[in-house]
Amino acid sequence: MADANAGLPAHIERLADRARSYVEAASSANTRRAYASDWKHFSAWCQRSNLSPLPPDPQIIGLYITALASGTAERNPKSNSVSTIERRLSSLSWNYAQRGTPLNRKDRHIATVLAGIRNTHGAPPRQKEAVLPEHLIAMLETLDRGTLRGIRDRTMLLIGFAGGLRRSEIVGLDCGRDQTEDGHGWVEILDKGLLVTLRGKTGWREVEIGRGSSDVTCPLVAVETWIKFARIERGPLFRRVRGQGKDVGPDRLNDREVARLVKKVALAAGVRPDLTENERAEKFSGHSLRAGLASSAEADERYIQKQLGHASAEMTRKYQRRRDRFRVNLTKAAGL
């Protein structure tokens, strides 16, 4: 493939390269992978259906989302959930926009079909299981405190839970400000706790993680212990452990490692023994830590909302698996 910048002055080439880096920075790596995967899925369906993915044709998109809902878009019949269909549609919109050929999602071939799919197949969202404090303590006990991997994993679980952090926010942390280009925040160790500065979905925010009541479950102690034994002075906070667990490398952990860790230790600790192994793997994820804090912290809702970085209290309530839903009784308030 020919270089799109061929023949351009050197300073313009540099600007073009910088512009591409800004385009990449506009969305997370996970989002870009999902966009690419969804475009590949759509293109494969078009090829099997003897259709062309370009230029955008609302009628073809309407047929595609119909195939997704009816389970005929795959080689092996499998119907997609409404949320998956909406995500794939958003991915197509993004991909078309990047090609300079916007997709009109309000066209009746798309909007009317999607409305019918929502009415026919819509279902309440399936939430991830919350990791509650008693679960977390049991999960921590399954990790070896005498190994680098065990120390690191304990630290990620504790800071993820106490900070109400997303998995990408956990692995995106650096030891200090402006230390890496791919970092999404940094930690500051203070006397009373950790001050975590994050660049999340809603912009920059500060998260205060106070000292725990015990050193065993204290996020601050865990971070100090990890930094000391991993001999990390700057750069990514959470890194790969290599050399049969005796050495810490320079590379930042992938955020999927957080989800794998939560699933693994929840299974090892016997959390939710009523579930099968496969069900537990489906129920627990990195989001389980955020849901656990939201569900168990005995604090005013606005503080929980701030910690999780939510724009609305309604979103925070969706994370609260355990709360008094009838604290405000409008029946009695109305005089009945």
Side-chain angles (χ1 to χ4, degrees):
M1 182 177 174
D3 187 351
N5 294 338
L8 292 177
H11 71 285
I12 296 298
E13 285 188 22
R14 288 193 294 271
L15 284 176
D17 290 339
R18 175 61 68 179
R20 278 194 292 272
S21 71
Y22 285 146
V23 169
E24 289 187 358
S27 56
S28 69
N30 282 344
T31 299
R32 292 194 299 274
R33 278 194 294 267
Y35 286 159
S37 175
D38 288 338
W39 180 258
K40 183 179 178 181
H41 185 275
F42 172 61
S43 298
W45 175 82
C46 285
Q47 186 175 22
R48 291 194 301 272
S49 305
N50 227 6
L51 300 169
S52 175
L54 291 167
D57 185 333
Q59 190 167 3
I60 290 178
I61 303 298
L63 292 174
Y64 173 62
I65 62 176
T66 298
L68 291 173
S70 59
T72 59
E74 315 276 354
R75 290 188 182 277
N76 298 320
K78 177 186 176 184
S79 59
N80 286 240
S81 67
V82 173
S83 61
T84 298
I85 293 171
E86 290 176 335
R87 189 207 71 214
R88 290 193 188 278
L89 186 55
S90 295
S91 293
L92 294 185
S93 297
W94 185 88
N95 275 284
Y96 280 124
Q98 300 311 301
R99 289 167 169 79
T101 55
L103 174 66
N104 180 15
R105 290 184 54 170
K106 294 183 179 180
D107 185 283
R108 62 185 180 85
H109 291 101
I110 300 175
T112 307
V113 171
L114 184 59
I117 289 172
R118 285 174 177 150
N119 288 339
T120 305
H121 301 288
R126 295 185 179 182
Q127 297 179 316
K128 295 298 182 181
E129 190 80 8
V131 168
L132 300 175
E134 57 269 27
H135 299 153
L136 182 61
I137 291 171
M139 290 159 65
L140 293 174
E141 288 301 314
T142 69
L143 299 170
D144 189 346
R145 299 183 202 175
T147 66
L148 284 171
R149 184 172 284 107
I151 295 171
R152 181 200 67 190
D153 290 350
R154 288 175 61 85
T155 307
M156 288 197 298
L157 290 173
L158 283 168
I159 198 173
F161 179 91
L165 306 184
R166 299 175 178 89
R167 66 187 196 185
S168 59
E169 293 172 341
I170 296 172
V171 300
L173 290 173
D174 288 339
C175 294
R177 180 172 184 162
D178 299 331
Q179 292 185 346
T180 66
E181 290 187 0
D182 64 338
H184 291 277
W186 65 90
V187 296
E188 295 177 64
I189 299 176
L190 307 176
D191 289 341
K192 294 185 178 181
L194 296 168
L195 177 60
V196 181
T197 305
L198 296 164
R199 185 179 67 215
K201 289 185 176 181
T202 55
W204 288 98
R205 77 181 196 276
E206 290 183 340
V207 173
E208 295 88 8
I209 302 177
R211 284 186 177 273
S213 56
S214 165
D215 283 355
V216 176
T217 57
C218 177
L220 174 59
V221 172
V223 169
E224 290 178 323
T225 303
W226 164 243
I227 289 176
K228 174 184 176 182
F229 285 98
R231 298 178 181 177
I232 299 174
E233 295 182 357
R234 61 180 286 112
L237 179 60
F238 295 115
R239 311 177 182 196
R240 296 195 175 280
V241 175
R242 60 189 186 184
Q244 297 181 332
K246 297 180 180 179
D247 179 43
V248 175
D251 298 332
R252 188 186 304 278
L253 274 184
N254 186 291
D255 65 344
R256 284 172 288 188
E257 294 293 334
V258 178
R260 294 190 188 106
L261 171 63
V262 173
K263 293 175 190 289
K264 181 182 75 174
V265 293
L267 181 63
V271 179
R272 288 297 305 272
D274 55 306
L275 300 177
T276 66
E277 197 169 315
N278 288 337
E279 287 172 335
R280 266 185 282 194
E282 179 66 27
K283 281 279 190 180
F284 289 96
S285 74
H287 255 59
S288 296
L289 299 174
R290 281 166 65 78
L293 178 73
S295 302
S296 56
E298 297 292 337
D300 191 292
E301 192 175 77
R302 68 179 184 272
Y303 295 117
I304 301 173
Q305 179 183 340
K306 178 181 179 294
Q307 191 84 340
L308 270 62
H310 287 154
S312 68
E314 185 58 36
M315 178 57 72
T316 301
R317 293 185 193 110
K318 291 180 181 178
Y319 278 72
Q320 293 174 320
R321 312 292 190 260
R322 187 173 66 179
R323 64 184 175 89
D324 183 3
R325 295 178 176 273
F326 300 99
R327 183 173 58 85
V328 178
N329 188 330
L330 294 182
T331 307
K332 289 183 178 179
L336 298 181

